[in-house]
Amino acid sequence: DADVTQTPRNRITKTGKRIMLECSQTKGHDRMYWYRQDPGLGLRLIYYSFDVKDINKGEISDGYSVSRQAQAKFSLSLESAIPNQTALYFCATSDSGGTVAFFGQGTRLTVV
Amino acid sequence: AQKVTQAQTEISVVEKEDVTLDCVYETRDTTYYLFWYKQPPSGELVFLIRRNSFDEQNEISGRYSWNFQKSTSSFNFTITASQVVDSAVYFCVLGGNNQGGKLIFGQGTELSVKP
């Protein structure tokens, strides 16, 4: 099994729909992250969590929400999807010192 | 502020040429980590190397080599004798504990190796 698993891998949804992207990890890391990738912009941080009770906004959190259900699970929600949220989304984990990082395979989301 | 700059947006080379990808970073932290990731056309992020701020020893691994220089805040990556399979987007990443544990990505360099 992969260290960091994202579901779904691909999703097409309609404008205005609520959608949840899920992430689970087997690394035992406290820190989890959601990033968004758009062409030419690298990866931008949406939300991050240092433990179950600690959730923080990243640089582009508007239109998104997250839930840290357990140490191993971190979900990203789009409450009302819009077309400019079409992107490749990555979940990541890291140890407490930020010395290593593991990424999921990515979720390709298309909002039509 | 923490920042990573990859000035080269796209690079195109012919197979067997050597190619260097540049990375310049900014941080006020004394302890930090630098990473290189490769993203092939399939989309996943593949870890290549990590360096911590106290280890300026450069490394060679097969056709890959890395040049870390704190004096110029640079962490460059060289592929020797490039191959078509090296075609990908390469990201330089700054990490560590002091910037809130966040990973700061450069914009990426798209490398195209032509046969």
Side-chain angles (χ1 to χ4, degrees):
Chain A
D1 289 340
D3 296 321
V4 182
T5 301
Q6 291 182 231
T7 56
R9 293 293 310 279
N10 291 281
R11 180 73 180 267
I12 300 174
T13 192
K14 293 184 178 181
T15 297
K17 292 291 187 182
R18 183 179 189 275
I19 182 171
M20 179 182 288
L21 308 183
E22 299 187 347
C23 176
S24 62
Q25 53 119 343
T26 59
K27 299 300 296 181
H29 289 161
D30 288 326
R31 296 184 176 186
M32 297 187 74
Y33 310 79
W34 276 104
Y35 287 87
R36 166 180 172 158
Q37 184 179 18
D38 298 279
L41 293 179
L43 273 72
R44 294 182 292 167
L45 184 61
I46 307 172
Y47 270 96
Y48 61 105
S49 170
F50 285 175
D51 66 38
V52 174
K53 297 180 181 180
D54 180 23
I55 293 179
N56 306 278
K57 293 182 177 180
E59 59 182 305
I60 54 164
S61 59
D62 288 348
Y64 301 95
S65 63
V66 291
S67 173
R68 186 81 183 266
Q69 302 94 324
Q71 186 202 40
K73 297 183 182 297
F74 192 38
S75 301
L76 175 72
S77 293
L78 286 68
E79 297 301 326
S80 179
I82 56 177
N84 77 0
Q85 291 177 313
T86 293
L88 181 59
Y89 291 84
F90 285 98
C91 176
T93 75
S94 73
D95 64 357
S96 58
T99 67
V100 293
F102 293 84
F103 287 86
Q105 314 95 312
T107 295
R108 199 169 294 276
L109 176 66
T110 303
V111 183
V112 298
Chain B
Q2 285 75 31
K3 184 179 179 181
V4 177
T5 302
Q6 295 178 250
Q8 304 148 310
T9 304
E10 297 178 8
I11 300 176
S12 182
V13 299
V14 176
E15 205 169 20
K16 298 184 182 179
E17 286 185 25
D18 298 346
V19 58
T20 295
L21 309 183
D22 298 332
C23 173
V24 175
Y25 62 93
E26 297 176 27
T27 182
R28 291 189 294 269
D29 298 332
T30 56
T31 302
Y32 52 89
Y33 295 85
L34 293 163
F35 307 80
W36 275 98
Y37 283 87
K38 172 182 178 180
Q39 186 178 41
S42 52
E44 73 272 21
L45 289 165
V46 179
F47 169 77
L48 295 177
I49 191 172
R50 180 192 74 175
R51 271 287 173 269
N52 70 53
S53 52
F54 295 107
D55 180 6
E56 288 193 73
Q57 180 178 357
N58 293 315
E59 181 173 328
I60 297 174
S61 176
R63 296 186 297 109
Y64 298 162
S65 61
W66 292 269
N67 186 350
F68 175 31
Q69 294 192 355
K70 288 180 68 174
S71 60
T72 56
S73 297
S74 65
F75 185 43
N76 297 337
F77 170 44
T78 297
I79 302 174
T80 302
S82 60
Q83 300 176 0
V84 173
V85 294
D86 296 327
S87 297
V89 180
Y90 291 83
F91 290 100
C92 181
V93 183
L94 174 65
N97 204 38
N98 292 332
Q99 45 261 11
K102 294 177 285 187
L103 302 170
I104 310 297
F105 278 76
Q107 305 92 318
T109 298
E110 183 172 4
L111 173 65
S112 176
V113 181
K114 302 186 185 305

